Amino acid sequence: MYSSDSSSIPVSLGQFERAPPRLDADPQALEDWVGDLKVRGVLQAGPALLQVLEMLRRSELPLGRRLGILSLLKTPVLKVCAGLPKPRAGRGESGLTLEQRLGRLMFVNLDHALHLFDKHHPFPGERESQQRLWLIRNLFRFAGRQIRYVIQYRAALPPGSWRDLHELYLYLLNRRPLALWDLAAEQPVGDGFDYEAEYRQLLLLGLATRLKADIIEDQGFMDRLATWADQTRLDDPHTRLGWLGSYIVESSADEAPRWFSGSLDLPFRGWVLRLPQEYLEVLKTA
């Protein structure tokens, strides 16, 4: 467990007596180093983990080693983030917090690992499918944490966060394991995780926050979010040409869904949201 008593612990990584080992060296050395962080305060463990994640981002490690490191770092990163001091909502503090930087680097490394994984395993078996699911689940987990964090604390989102989330969803759609002519085939067994539902839920949360910054504090709204996400549809813009007034998602834009009041005269790369009526009624009263 990471100590939460950080008053006497220096923030500087330079005062942590053990620098991280080489990532391409003995795996046990990195495990021991991460284990030593448990007795450190979060203000010292956080920068140390940040350095390792940056080393991983810049590395050219083989897939297996990369997956092992991400699996090793995930829980320590989450525990450190949970223990870090939170900003005061609405203070307009400049720059990203340590928690945001950790979350962003985890997402970037997981995303790189997913693309590398698909190159190595174009037709994954059961074991590989579970590994791939682990990557996807954690990508959405860290993306969701980032979005909820900026909503709760009125902070700035790390640049590229929304765009990378849109691109991730598009990438996953294009790499569905079953061909269109084989839709009757048995689906791979999962554990109930649905990345499409997760993505729609984040879209609805981002859109609602545009209209009401403190919507996340409305427990009734949050309790119904998953149901509304299941009822939401993402339509191809080609099917909505000529429509006047739409909620749209532009996959190349680094932003949440938005209202477009004009006529959709040209298709774009993204989706038109078809939202449940109850959700729309809540937006009108926000």
Side-chain angles (χ1 to χ4, degrees), residues 9 31 49 81 87 92 104 137 163 182 187 201 220 226 261 276:
I9 297 174
E31 288 187 33
L49 289 169
C81 286
R104 179 62 177 159
R137 173 189 287 278
R163 182 179 60 250
D182 197 20
Q187 294 282 348
Q201 195 168 153
S261 59

Side-chain angles (χ1 to χ4, degrees), residues 206-218:
L207 175 59
T209 306
R210 281 184 177 271
L211 302 177
K212 187 178 181 182
D214 61 350
I215 194 71
I216 200 171
E217 298 173 11
D218 184 341

Side-chain angles (χ1 to χ4, degrees), residues 67 117 124-138 188-192:
L67 291 175
F117 186 94
E126 183 176 351
R127 179 175 178 273
E128 289 80 15
S129 294
Q130 290 300 320
Q131 290 177 317
R132 188 174 190 268
L133 180 63
W134 183 88
L135 287 169
I136 296 170
R137 173 189 287 278
N138 281 288
V189 177
D191 58 359

Side-chain angles (χ1 to χ4, degrees), residues 40-90:
R40 308 290 170 177
V42 294
L43 293 182
Q44 195 173 21
L49 289 169
L50 194 71
Q51 182 178 2
V52 175
L53 287 169
E54 182 60 29
M55 290 168 59
L56 182 61
R57 185 186 71 84
R58 295 171 178 268
S59 73
E60 297 183 1
L61 292 173
L63 175 62
R65 180 66 179 133
R66 188 175 296 275
L67 291 175
I69 292 174
L70 285 170
S71 180
L72 175 66
L73 296 180
K74 187 199 80 170
T75 297
V77 167
L78 289 172
K79 288 184 176 180
V80 165
C81 286
L84 283 169
K86 310 303 179 188
R88 292 185 181 180

Side-chain angles (χ1 to χ4, degrees), residues 160-259:
S161 295
W162 272 114
R163 182 179 60 250
D164 287 352
L165 179 60
H166 300 324
E167 292 292 345
L168 170 63
Y169 178 73
L170 190 62
Y171 173 80
L172 293 173
L173 284 183
N174 291 334
R175 291 193 64 90
R176 281 175 170 166
L178 298 178
L180 293 177
W181 56 83
D182 197 20
L183 294 178
E186 184 177 352
Q187 294 282 348
V189 177
D191 58 359
F193 176 75
D194 182 353
Y195 72 83
E196 295 188 52
E198 291 288 325
Y199 178 65
R200 292 194 300 267
Q201 195 168 153
L202 292 176
L203 292 181
L204 296 188
L205 184 57
L207 175 59
T209 306
R210 281 184 177 271
L211 302 177
K212 187 178 181 182
D214 61 350
I215 194 71
I216 200 171
E217 298 173 11
D218 184 341
Q219 192 57 49
F221 174 88
M222 297 303 295
D223 289 344
R224 288 176 286 175
L225 196 59
T227 299
W228 289 332
D230 288 339
Q231 299 168 352
T232 297
R233 297 295 176 265
L234 276 60
D235 290 342
D236 186 331
H238 288 83
T239 67
R240 304 291 288 273
L241 293 180
W243 283 56
L244 185 64
S246 303
Y247 290 101
I248 65 172
V249 181
E250 296 173 280
S251 60
S252 60
D254 191 19
E255 62 178 357
R258 64 183 178 89
W259 171 253

